Amino acid sequence: MEQAIQVGLGERSYPIIIGAEVMGRVGSDLRARGLAKRYGIISDDRVAGLYGDRLRQVFRQSGLACDLITFPQGEASKNLRTIAALASTLAERGFDRKDALVALGGGVTGDITGFLASVYMRGIPFVQVPTSLLAQVDSSVGGKTGVDIPQGKNLIGTFYQPRAVYIDSGVLQTLPRDEFLGGMAEVIKYGASIDADFFAWLAENRDAILALDSSCIIPMIRRCCEMKAAVVEQDEREGGLRRILNFGHTIGHAVEAASGYTLIHGFAVAIGMRAVAELAVRCGVAGPEVALAIKRLLEAYGLPTSIPDDFDRQSLRTYLQTDKKTVGGRVFFVLPEQLGRVRITDQVADVDVDAVLGNVFS
Ligand code: NAD
C-alpha cells in the first residue's frame, strides 16, 4: 500500500510518498527525476546505524553516488557548529551545486539538513526521508528549517522546501516508544484543531495505531500530511493561518523550556493542548465537553495532561512571555472552539492564564 500526495506551491511543488517499503524506491525515484549527480545523506549517528547502510545500498543499486555523513544524535547537535562541520565535510569531499542532500532521520536531522541545503553554496536541493513519527507527520513537510542558539530554539533558520518527502512507515518499528507517543501528540493536534472526524477516528483505532498496524498507520500519516500541506499551501511563511498548527505549542514550549528540555517535545505539547483547552473553557470560548474529549484522547494514548507538580510556575510564566511567537509583547493562544476548529487570539486575561498554569483543572 503506497500513497502519494502533492504539496502545491507552484514551481516549488513536491510529492510526499508514504508506504511500508518506501525507502527501497528512493534511489530509482531520484534517478528518474535526475535531481543531482551525487547525494550527501545526512543522518544522526543513531539513525545512521540503523538505516544508513540500507539507504546507501538503495542509492548504489540505482547507480547513484552517495556519501553518508553523520553527527551525534539529539537536539544538542542542532546548532551552527554542526552546520559548519557538515559544510566543511561537504566541501572537503567536493560537493558542489550539482549535488543534493538527503535528510535521513527525525526532526533534528530534517531541520539541520534543510538549513544546510539552503545555505551551502547559496542553496542546493534536498529531500526528506523522515524516520520519527513527529518528522513524518509534521516537520518534514512545509519547508521550515533551522538551528538553535543559546538564546532560544530555532532562532536561526530559513524557509526552504524539499524536492520530495519519502515516508517509510516501517522504520517506526525501531523508534523508541516514548518518541512514538510524542509524535502521537502532534497527530492528535491535527484532529483537535482541524478535523473532528479524524479526532474520532484516532479514538476508534487506538489499539491498531499503538500496535503500529500499517493499515491504520499509513492512512494516519497521510491524513496529517494532507492537513499540513493544505495549511502550508495557503500560508507558507506563517503569516497567519499556519499558526493554527501551534495548537498546544504556546504553553507546550513554556513547559518544555521550564523542564530544561528534559521532557519530550510531544509530551510538553500534550500538556499544552490540555491546558489551552481548559483555558478556552475558562474564557467561554469552548464548552467543558471539548476539554474533556481532548484530555481523554491524550490519556488514551498514554500522554501526560497535567503540568508536573514540581514545576516552577514563575519560570513557566516567564518562558510564556518570551516565546518567539509573541507579537509586540502579547502572547497569542490557539484556543479550541469545538473539536476540529480553533480561534487565534491574544485576548486572554492573565488571571485565566495563571489559573491554568497553576493546574486548577483536575
Ligand atoms: P530527533 O530527530 O532528535 O529524533 C528523536 C530520537 O529518535 C533521536 O534520538 C533519533 O536518533 C531517534 N530516531 C529517529 N528515528 C528513529 C527510528 N526510526 N528508529 C530509532 N530511532 C530513531 O527529534 P524529533 O522528535 O524527530 O524532532 C524534534 C525536532 O523537530 C526539534 O528540533 C523541533 O524543533 C523540530 N521540529 C521542526 C518542525 C519544522 O516544521 N521544521 C516542526 C516540528 C518540530
Side-chain angles (χ1 to χ4, degrees):
M1 185 177 28
E2 204 169 278
Q3 312 208 2
I5 55 180
Q6 186 83 356
V7 184
L9 289 169
E11 60 185 18
R12 290 175 297 114
S13 297
Y14 54 94
I16 305 171
I17 297 144
I18 309 155
E21 298 289 340
V22 163
M23 202 182 291
R25 64 116 105 182
V26 174
S28 55
D29 204 73
L30 290 176
R31 191 184 163 85
R33 293 159 151 267
L35 189 64
K37 64 176 170 50
R38 184 180 175 200
Y39 292 85
I41 302 170
I42 311 289
S43 192
D44 74 34
D45 48 8
R46 188 177 192 177
V47 174
L50 289 164
Y51 301 107
D53 283 344
R54 186 160 139 208
L55 191 57
R56 255 197 309 204
Q57 186 76 4
V58 162
F59 273 82
R60 289 194 181 132
Q61 277 165 356
S62 303
L64 297 175
C66 70
D67 284 33
L68 178 63
I69 304 169
T70 66
F71 63 88
Q73 72 80 34
E75 184 76 26
S77 284
K78 214 176 102 172
N79 57 44
L80 290 168
R81 279 191 312 282
T82 305
I83 296 296
L86 293 171
S88 293
T89 304
L90 289 174
E92 279 161 16
R93 298 193 191 181
F95 275 81
D96 64 28
R97 303 200 52 159
K98 294 205 168 56
D99 302 325
L101 300 183
V102 180
L104 172 67
V108 165
T109 302
D111 281 8
I112 286 177
T113 309
F115 182 64
L116 180 60
S118 73
V119 294
Y120 185 71
M121 296 205 166
R122 300 197 174 82
I124 61 173
F126 85 111
V127 301
Q128 292 267 18
V129 184
T131 63
S132 68
L133 182 60
L134 180 144
Q136 296 189 340
V137 299
D138 188 356
S139 63
S140 65
V141 175
K144 272 203 215 172
T145 84
V147 294
D148 308 332
I149 54 175
Q151 289 72 17
K153 275 188 67 170
N154 299 320
L155 289 187
I156 306 274
T158 53
F159 285 100
Y160 194 67
Q161 299 294 341
R163 298 299 184 91
V165 182
Y166 299 98
I167 301 179
D168 188 323
S169 61
V171 302
L172 296 176
Q173 297 287 347
T174 57
L175 188 66
R177 194 63 173 170
D178 278 358
E179 298 291 348
F180 178 80
L181 296 178
M184 282 308 303
E186 302 289 350
V187 173
I188 292 169
K189 171 191 82 175
Y190 287 107
S193 61
I194 300 180
D195 184 346
D197 290 342
F198 183 60
F199 188 93
W201 183 88
L202 290 172
E204 279 157 27
N205 292 284
R206 170 196 172 272
D207 292 349
I209 290 167
L210 288 177
L212 301 184
D213 178 340
S214 58
S215 68
C216 280
I217 290 283
I218 293 171
M220 179 185 90
I221 296 171
R222 180 204 163 103
R223 182 71 193 113
C224 293
C225 288
E226 272 173 359
M227 286 188 260
K228 176 102 190 225
V231 171
V232 168
E233 284 167 4
Q234 292 171 70
D235 180 21
E236 187 181 0
R237 288 177 171 252
E238 204 169 308
L241 179 71
R242 193 164 173 172
R243 288 206 303 224
I244 68 175
L245 296 176
N246 289 326
F247 178 64
H249 283 63
T250 309
I251 294 176
H253 280 149
V255 170
E256 196 180 6
S259 80
Y261 294 96
T262 55
L263 201 61
I264 286 186
H265 173 74
F267 287 16
V269 170
I271 294 169
M273 284 193 281
R274 163 87 196 291
V276 90
E278 298 295 340
L279 191 58
V281 175
R282 286 186 74 87
C283 298
V285 167
E289 71 287 353
V290 175
L292 188 60
I294 290 173
K295 175 176 182 274
R296 285 207 175 128
L297 188 59
L298 292 168
E299 287 176 354
Y301 279 92
L303 289 161
T305 53
S306 298
I307 299 165
D309 285 339
D310 55 355
F311 262 49
D312 174 359
R313 310 286 145 164
Q314 194 45 47
S315 71
L316 256 180
R317 245 215 161 287
T318 309
Y319 280 118
L320 200 57
Q321 284 297 343
T322 54
D323 189 281
K324 73 173 187 299
K325 286 178 177 115
T326 55
V327 179
R330 299 291 308 165
V331 183
F332 279 80
F333 290 97
V334 186
L335 299 181
E337 294 178 327
Q338 297 172 2
L339 289 177
R341 206 174 77 202
V342 292
R343 175 193 300 182
I344 301 172
T345 180
D346 65 346
Q347 299 301 309
V348 176
D350 287 350
V351 59
D352 290 329
V353 177
D354 286 339
V356 162
L357 294 186
N359 258 352
V360 293
F361 46 84
S362 56

